[in-house]
Amino acid sequence: MALAGLFLITFLFVHLGINLLLLVDDGGELFNRAAHFMASNPLIQLFQWVLFAGFIIHMIYGIILQVQNWLARPSRYKVEGYSHLSPFSKFMIHTAAIILLFLVIHLVNFFFKAKFGHIGEVNYEGMVLEDMGGLVRAQFQETGLVVFYIFALIILAFHLHHGFQSAFQSMGWNHSRYTPFVKILSTLIAILVPLGFIAIPICIYFNLA
Amino acid sequence: MDFKLKIWRQKSAAVKGRFETYKVSGITGGTSFLEMLDVLNEELIAKGEEPVAFDHDCREGICGTCSLYINGRPHGPDDRVCTCQLFMRRFKDGDTIIIEPFRARPFPVLRDLVVDRSSFDKIIQAGGFISASTGNAPDANAIPIPKRNADKAFDAAACIGCGACVAACKNASAMLFVSAKVSHFALLPQGKVEARERVQKMVAKMDELGFGNCTNTYACEAECPKGISVENIARMNREFLSAKLVTDK
């Protein structure tokens, strides 16, 4: 659970790095080249399956653990837990459900379209590439989709805020020297990564990039 | 002071329970929570009614017998105390106090507010001990132990096994209790010998008994009357992983 979660966070960084290329003012060329590389490099194609496995393991473990947790208290309290605890940690399964819904919509909108559908093409000095940048720009003209993306990414922020530092505790990586740093890093990742992703639909929608 | 009490009444593990409302009056601030329940029980007995069953023993915060989930918190609204050390001055005159038993699948209600916490004993029986014959008390300092380890082991050993961690945890997880016991031994040379085997057996027993999993919400630490740190949970996870990865057998 923890390891799969940390692995998925490294994927978020790669994904964000490539997405931010959309904000480069070159008509989407750099992004399209990067997208083409990601879609054609055999090593990355292979690693894609590792990534899918990471998602599946994280989800299956998450569901098993949650079901066990629900079963561990068959009769509930009249007054529910008052104990001071982080609000983010209480709703991991709920934020996870929203993120999963987002993931499905996201894959249908982009990944499956690029893999199995037809999208426009662009020509860079004789090299014909799929116009992923154009697809992203077209999608993010829709207000509903942009709002949903922003909402889902805020939910992702909550999930990451608890998840990152929690993974360290679960792995037993606890030390007076680095645990405070891990907690700060967790907050930073939870704010900066979703913020980076949110910047893209916002910039495209308002014609800033 | 006068209080309205909503208390969980349940005749036995086999029958369904329900909340009953009682009134107690003329309670002084210096009355402990358990003494307040004693007052109520005296009145109930005088009226020919069945008194409220609740666990208690030493009444000085060291035995871990008293329990009660008071207004949404195990051992009530004060931090770092057991129910026996909770005084009625902590409440306001006229307050309604909701008293429930600790709730978890491995802690079935036996009667009213009394729950069966023998699951904790079963976890200890699975490995929470040192099997070497101890003989007489050894000389102090016969085995050198770093002060820091001795302190941390002592902090972990402060766990009185009351079950507040399980009661507070949204997952009814026993990780704080088990990790305190694992840490207490793993930090000391006498306990190190069997450390790998111990952590695996105790965790396996904990899972078998149906406690939930740790999701690092730390309500256990917040509610522990002895202030056991979740650092112990990280230590147990570390011990468990290394025991699974490396074995002497």
Side-chain angles (χ1 to χ4, degrees):
Chain A
M1 185 76 201
L3 284 182
L6 287 178
F7 167 66
L8 294 178
I9 291 174
T10 61
F11 157 71
L12 280 182
F13 277 104
V14 176
H15 195 340
L16 177 64
I18 293 170
N19 280 17
L20 287 176
L21 297 177
L22 273 166
L23 302 181
V24 177
D25 191 16
D26 65 350
E29 183 177 342
L30 200 56
F31 176 77
N32 278 339
R33 283 180 188 275
H36 178 72
F37 171 78
M38 295 302 280
S40 57
N41 185 295
L43 202 65
I44 288 173
Q45 290 304 298
L46 192 71
F47 208 69
Q48 187 175 285
W49 294 103
V50 181
L51 177 64
F52 286 142
F55 271 107
I56 301 287
I57 290 168
H58 193 65
M59 279 190 273
I60 290 177
Y61 260 105
I63 291 167
I64 292 174
L65 293 176
Q66 186 61 60
V67 169
Q68 286 177 344
N69 291 347
W70 280 325
L71 291 177
R73 180 164 292 138
S75 34
R76 307 203 67 78
Y77 289 115
K78 186 179 172 77
V79 187
E80 268 304 327
Y82 171 90
S83 314
H84 11 160
L85 37 87
S86 121
F88 306 120
S89 65
K90 264 176 107 170
F91 301 109
M92 290 304 269
I93 192 77
H94 312 93
T95 50
I98 296 169
I99 294 165
L100 179 62
L101 175 72
F102 166 77
L103 191 67
V104 171
I105 293 173
H106 184 58
L107 287 177
V108 168
N109 274 347
F110 295 108
F111 185 77
F112 291 132
K113 258 187 202 161
K115 249 324 193 232
F116 311 112
H118 280 287
I119 57 176
E121 286 177 342
V122 274
N123 192 327
Y124 299 120
E125 298 149 12
M127 197 175 163
V128 180
L129 297 180
E130 290 171 317
D131 190 12
M132 272 307 276
L135 175 66
V136 176
R137 277 162 205 284
Q139 293 273 2
F140 285 152
Q141 299 305 320
E142 285 177 45
T143 315
L145 194 72
V146 171
V147 171
F148 177 66
Y149 263 64
I150 294 170
F151 167 71
L153 287 161
I154 291 171
I155 294 294
L156 176 68
F158 292 152
H159 199 75
L160 289 177
H161 183 273
H162 177 69
F164 183 76
Q165 50 88 21
S166 175
F168 281 76
Q169 167 84 1
S170 292
M171 294 308 295
W173 299 328
N174 177 295
H175 194 286
S176 54
R177 198 174 290 162
Y178 62 71
T179 298
F181 174 71
V182 166
K183 289 199 171 154
I184 295 168
L185 195 63
S186 196
T187 311
L188 279 179
I189 288 176
I191 294 170
L192 294 179
V193 171
L195 206 63
F197 280 115
I198 287 172
I200 294 153
I202 287 185
C203 287
I204 291 174
Y205 188 76
F206 291 106
N207 266 326
L208 302 169
Chain B
M1 289 190 284
D2 301 341
F3 300 104
K4 194 164 130 191
L5 308 172
K6 283 189 177 172
I7 301 178
W8 182 260
R9 300 302 308 260
Q10 186 173 341
K11 274 214 156 59
S12 74
V15 299
K16 275 194 163 185
R18 63 181 189 286
F19 281 95
E20 292 276 351
T21 308
Y22 300 95
K23 279 191 173 144
V24 283
S25 46
I27 303 289
T28 60
T31 310
S32 83
F33 201 86
L34 297 184
E35 285 162 352
M36 183 274 295
L37 289 177
D38 291 337
V39 170
L40 171 72
N41 277 346
E42 297 268 329
E43 287 170 12
L44 289 178
I45 291 165
K47 277 194 275 184
E49 287 178 37
E50 197 65 36
V52 178
F54 62 93
D55 270 325
H56 60 98
D57 190 18
C58 77
R59 298 207 178 198
E60 54 187 27
I62 53 172
C63 75
T65 307
C66 59
S67 56
L68 307 185
Y69 194 81
I70 303 159
N71 287 345
R73 294 184 71 179
H75 297 300
D78 272 340
D79 288 338
R80 302 270 174 111
V81 294
C82 297
T83 303
C84 58
Q85 299 162 296
L86 175 68
F87 291 92
M88 297 314 291
R89 55 176 172 265
R90 190 64 177 72
F91 298 89
K92 284 198 286 289
D93 185 28
D95 270 1
T96 298
I97 305 171
I98 300 170
I99 312 168
E100 301 174 70
F102 282 0
R103 292 207 185 276
R105 188 154 62 116
F107 287 175
V109 174
L110 295 176
R111 189 186 178 93
D112 298 339
L113 302 169
V114 177
V115 297
D116 178 3
R117 283 170 284 178
S118 60
S119 292
F120 272 11
D121 301 331
K122 288 177 191 145
I123 294 173
I124 295 292
Q125 282 160 7
F129 50 82
I130 293 170
S131 25
S133 125
T134 49
N136 291 331
D139 284 343
N141 300 328
I143 305 170
I145 298 167
K147 171 86 168 82
R148 219 171 53 147
N149 283 19
D151 285 349
K152 281 186 187 277
F154 192 81
D155 287 348
C159 168
I160 52 175
C162 66
C165 46
V166 176
C169 177
K170 74 179 179 73
N171 309 326
S173 170
M175 288 284 276
L176 193 68
F177 166 75
V178 182
S179 70
K181 300 302 171 193
V182 164
S183 293
H184 159 200
F185 288 118
L187 284 161
L188 298 174
Q190 297 93 328
K192 273 219 171 86
V193 184
E194 295 167 286
R196 283 195 184 134
E197 218 174 313
R198 175 183 305 116
V199 67
Q200 296 188 67
K201 281 183 178 168
M202 289 179 82
V203 169
K205 183 52 91 176
M206 170 182 82
D207 290 342
E208 181 199 316
L209 290 166
F211 288 102
N213 306 292
C214 181
T215 50
N216 304 327
T217 59
Y218 307 150
C220 53
E221 186 186 64
E223 293 303 338
C224 177
K226 299 296 156 187
I228 304 289
S229 164
V230 292
E231 189 191 311
N232 291 303
I233 298 182
R235 183 177 299 104
M236 179 167 82
N237 290 338
R238 207 155 57 221
E239 290 274 329
F240 183 79
L241 277 174
S242 71
K244 283 277 173 209
L245 290 173
V246 192
T247 170
D248 299 326
K249 281 177 190 161

